[in-house]
Amino acid sequence: MSVSVSAEPIPVNVSSTIYRVAEEALKNIEMHSRAKQASVDVISRDGQIRIEVMDDGMGFDLDRMNRVVGRSGLASVKDRVVLAGGKMQIDSKPNGGTRVMAELQTSGVQN
């Protein structure tokens, strides 16, 4: 895990969204990935915060996940990130691990 945070305070609604991204990504790693290694990187600078959660696990088919009836936890978290004005990307392929990245603005955001 690596964290690099500027001196600028992170608004509570942004930090809670980043927390939820980490929580869901790590829960999926624990429950589904069979990963041997995982990492979490958080970088905050220049009015933005970015989190990346990566693993070397079994991965999954993104197209299939998007077609699943009902909503996955990652899809719900992505909705939350987008509603907060951010962006989230999920990269995964079978037997190729998974990377979840979210980025949000920290400056000019109301608590």
Side-chain angles (χ1 to χ4, degrees), residues 16-47:
S16 66
T17 301
I18 291 294
Y19 173 82
R20 294 292 175 220
V21 171
E23 178 181 48
E24 186 62 33
L26 291 170
K27 183 176 93 175
N28 284 345
I29 291 169
E30 177 184 21
M31 293 176 63
H32 306 294
S33 78
R34 298 184 192 152
K36 291 188 180 4
Q37 294 185 352
S39 64
V40 178
D41 296 317
V42 180
I43 300 168
S44 174
R45 68 170 77 107
D46 300 328

Side-chain angles (χ1 to χ4, degrees), residues 40-106:
V40 178
D41 296 317
V42 180
I43 300 168
S44 174
R45 68 170 77 107
D46 300 328
Q48 291 189 327
I49 188 164
R50 175 185 180 114
I51 183 168
E52 287 189 44
V53 181
M54 296 158 283
D55 70 65
D56 65 353
M58 58 190 269
F60 56 90
D61 181 337
L62 282 169
D63 291 331
R64 183 170 178 260
M65 182 191 85
N66 291 330
R67 290 189 309 264
V68 171
V69 177
R71 302 288 289 167
S72 73
L74 284 175
S76 296
V77 170
K78 185 174 184 176
D79 290 345
R80 182 175 178 155
V81 169
V82 171
L83 284 172
K87 63 182 180 179
M88 184 167 145
Q89 181 177 339
I90 303 166
D91 299 313
S92 188
K93 60 183 178 179
N95 301 313
T98 300
R99 175 183 163 267
V100 176
M101 183 280 300
E103 193 170 75
L104 293 145
Q105 296 285 55
T106 57

